[in-house]
Amino acid sequence: RGSFAEWLRYLPLKKPGVPVMLFNGEQKQNQDAHFRVVDMPVGRRDLQQCADALIRLRSEYLFSRGEFSRIRFSFTSGDIIPFERWRNGERPVVKGNRVLWRSGASRAAGHDALTGYLTTLFMYAGSISLQRDTVSIAGSVQPGQILIQAGSPGHAVIVLDVAVDDAGRRFYLLGQSYMPAQEFHVLRNPQSADLSPWYEEGSAIIVTPEWTFRRNDRRAFQG
């Protein structure tokens, strides 16, 4: 109880058959990739893309537990952006290749502070920075782990849940946002209509509807 895995399990879903919507109110062109849409606003700017959505999920979980000091991610530049500094009224300002901090904003403790922090973070973060902010792992797949290939473009998805059958076989669910910014959704399994939306653990190659990952692309948030 209280784990990131449990929190992900209870993400609210929209009704079956609902399309994935883009940040601009239009429908995503590919409506065959998703199984269900998660009821989580994407915002009105083209910001909350693949890695950003995973950063948001992790941040929302930590925020719900009051663990504000653990909400700290980096820009692609490598500069660490702690949420605590944002709450204390400081703001990161990008000047060329440098990130400076300016004080003077009002201290804030509510969820609006997290929204503002994430909006700025999404402008300068992505799959490259998220790979740096996570650690490579081995062993069995677990909820809350991610699959990521850093790059421009790169892509990242998250393991939403894991199930084990009586024979000991492990299966997992994946979720993603994508480009342009769009609603977060549970992915179908394009290689097995019978198993979909579940994926069976064991393959060295993981084929998702819009990206192909390798087993060693799996990473985890620290702490």
Side-chain angles (χ1 to χ4, degrees):
R1 288 187 178 275
S3 67
F4 188 35
E6 183 194 40
W7 187 87
L8 289 170
R9 179 172 287 174
Y10 291 98
L11 286 173
L13 297 175
K14 293 189 174 183
K15 294 180 179 179
V18 171
V20 174
M21 304 300 293
L22 304 179
F23 71 97
N24 59 8
E26 298 179 2
Q27 289 191 19
K28 177 180 178 176
Q29 184 173 1
N30 180 10
Q31 293 292 333
D32 296 325
H34 74 283
F35 175 71
R36 292 286 292 274
V37 179
V38 173
D39 194 359
M40 183 176 75
V42 68
R44 298 182 179 180
R45 301 171 64 183
D46 189 10
L47 292 177
Q48 191 175 289
Q49 299 181 2
C50 59
D52 308 299
L54 309 194
I55 291 170
R56 178 177 177 187
L57 290 172
R58 182 65 175 177
S59 298
E60 293 277 10
Y61 161 70
L62 295 172
F63 185 90
S64 73
R65 294 178 56 81
E67 298 181 24
F68 306 132
S69 63
R70 295 179 63 193
I71 304 174
R72 47 188 299 122
F73 293 91
S74 64
F75 286 171
T76 301
S77 63
D79 294 273
I80 303 297
I81 311 298
F83 178 52
E84 286 281 33
R85 295 190 71 170
W86 186 281
R87 291 179 73 233
N88 289 332
E90 296 181 81
R91 297 292 182 268
V93 179
V94 177
K95 294 288 187 180
N97 294 326
R98 301 176 60 200
V99 176
L100 308 175
W101 285 88
R102 292 181 179 173
S103 57
S106 300
R107 292 174 57 89
H111 191 271
D112 286 348
L114 181 65
T115 300
Y117 167 81
L118 291 174
T119 298
T120 297
L121 190 66
F122 294 166
M123 294 173 64
Y124 302 105
S127 60
I128 294 173
S129 62
L130 182 58
Q131 185 174 66
R132 185 189 305 117
D133 292 339
T134 53
V135 294
S136 181
I137 49 164
S140 298
V141 63
Q142 300 293 341
Q145 295 174 352
I146 68 173
L147 291 168
I148 185 167
Q149 289 182 1
S152 299
H155 193 40
V157 300
I158 189 168
V159 179
L160 294 171
D161 208 350
V162 172
V164 183
D165 70 8
D166 291 339
R169 297 181 302 170
R170 297 173 64 84
F171 305 86
Y172 56 93
L173 291 173
L174 295 174
Q176 73 165 20
S177 180
Y178 203 53
M179 300 176 290
Q182 57 196 252
E183 292 179 302
F184 185 80
H185 47 278
V186 182
L187 287 171
R188 295 185 182 276
N189 181 343
Q191 294 199 308
S192 176
D194 293 335
L195 191 58
S196 183
W198 294 91
Y199 291 71
E200 185 171 0
E201 183 179 21
S203 175
I205 302 296
I206 300 99
V207 179
T208 73
E210 296 175 304
W211 202 270
T212 298
F213 296 94
R214 301 180 301 271
R215 183 167 50 202
N216 60 3
D217 291 328
R218 191 157 48 96
R219 301 180 69 85
F221 292 102
Q222 301 184 57

